[in-house]
Amino acid sequence: MVQMNLGLMPDRKLTAKKVKKFLVVDFQQYLDLAGMHRNQLTSPQLSLAPGSTNKNNIENNFIEDTQRDIDIADPARIVCAAVYRTMEDCTDTEDKPYKRILIDTYIKKLRVFEVAANTSLSTSSVDKKKIDAQVQFANRWLHWADFYGLEDYPDFRVMKKVG
């Protein structure tokens, strides 16, 4: 449930902390269940479709085994897709490079000085803007998790009363 105009705002630091835990720990578990690596989220994927319509028994067994794997991994792949799509949807401007900070940090696993070089920011600016990026991720996650049909998805926002 999204709380709007009730005098509540996300606590930036606590929300960022929850997002970081999810993207560092939980997201890796979803990747593992999906049989995926982080770099697969940003690179073209090989198709599992056979090259011809003439299938031999080995190909048939491979396709059946692959389908069983997909049936198991598909929910985890959907979570991974929702996570990546949420990052892709974050602001990416010169003064708010949230998308690049999130993808560089949690998908590409770059160190802070590498993220700083990619965003033309100082390392301290990256650290400060990372909190804003994590809060924006938390807010946008609600839309994309719902869009992908995830059930019982977490709300990373820690709300506090303002005013």
Side-chain angles (χ1 to χ4, degrees):
M1 179 174 105
V2 177
Q3 303 216 1
M4 301 187 74
N5 208 12
L6 299 175
L8 298 174
M9 292 290 295
D11 180 301
R12 293 176 67 252
K13 288 185 180 182
L14 293 177
T15 297
K17 185 177 179 180
K18 282 181 76 172
V19 168
K20 179 180 178 181
K21 183 211 174 275
F22 175 78
L23 293 175
V24 170
V25 179
D26 301 337
F27 182 45
Q28 184 60 53
Q29 292 174 0
Y30 286 111
L31 287 165
D32 292 344
L33 286 170
M36 297 177 70
H37 299 280
R38 291 171 194 269
N39 65 347
Q40 290 177 285
L41 295 170
T42 58
S43 62
Q45 299 300 302
L46 294 175
S47 170
L48 293 177
S52 70
T53 55
N54 298 328
K55 298 180 189 119
N56 63 31
N57 201 30
I58 294 172
E59 288 173 328
N60 284 335
N61 288 341
F62 173 76
I63 292 168
E64 289 170 11
D65 289 346
T66 301
Q67 185 58 53
R68 272 193 301 275
D69 291 345
I70 289 170
D71 291 343
I72 293 168
D74 200 45
R77 285 179 189 255
I78 292 169
V79 172
C80 294
V83 167
Y84 187 73
R85 185 64 182 98
T86 302
M87 288 181 187
E88 278 281 317
D89 191 45
C90 287
T91 303
D92 193 21
T93 62
E94 190 175 321
D95 62 327
K96 294 180 180 180
Y98 303 156
K99 171 184 167 180
R100 284 178 283 158
I101 289 171
L102 292 168
I103 290 173
D104 285 357
T105 302
Y106 299 111
I107 302 297
K108 296 180 180 178
K109 302 293 274 181
L110 300 181
R111 292 171 284 197
V112 70
F113 73 89
E114 294 169 309
V115 176
N118 287 348
T119 57
S120 301
L121 297 170
S122 68
T123 55
S124 62
S125 289
V126 168
D127 285 336
K128 289 175 188 168
K129 289 183 185 283
K130 189 184 296 182
I131 291 171
D132 295 329
Q134 292 162 328
V135 171
Q136 189 174 85
F137 178 92
N139 288 327
R140 291 179 185 243
W141 165 255
L142 298 173
H143 166 75
W144 290 107
D146 187 55
F147 177 85
Y148 278 92
L150 300 179
E151 296 179 16
D152 300 321
Y153 54 85
D155 183 350
F156 302 116
R157 300 168 310 152
V158 176
M159 303 307 278
K160 68 178 181 181
K161 193 159 184 85
V162 293

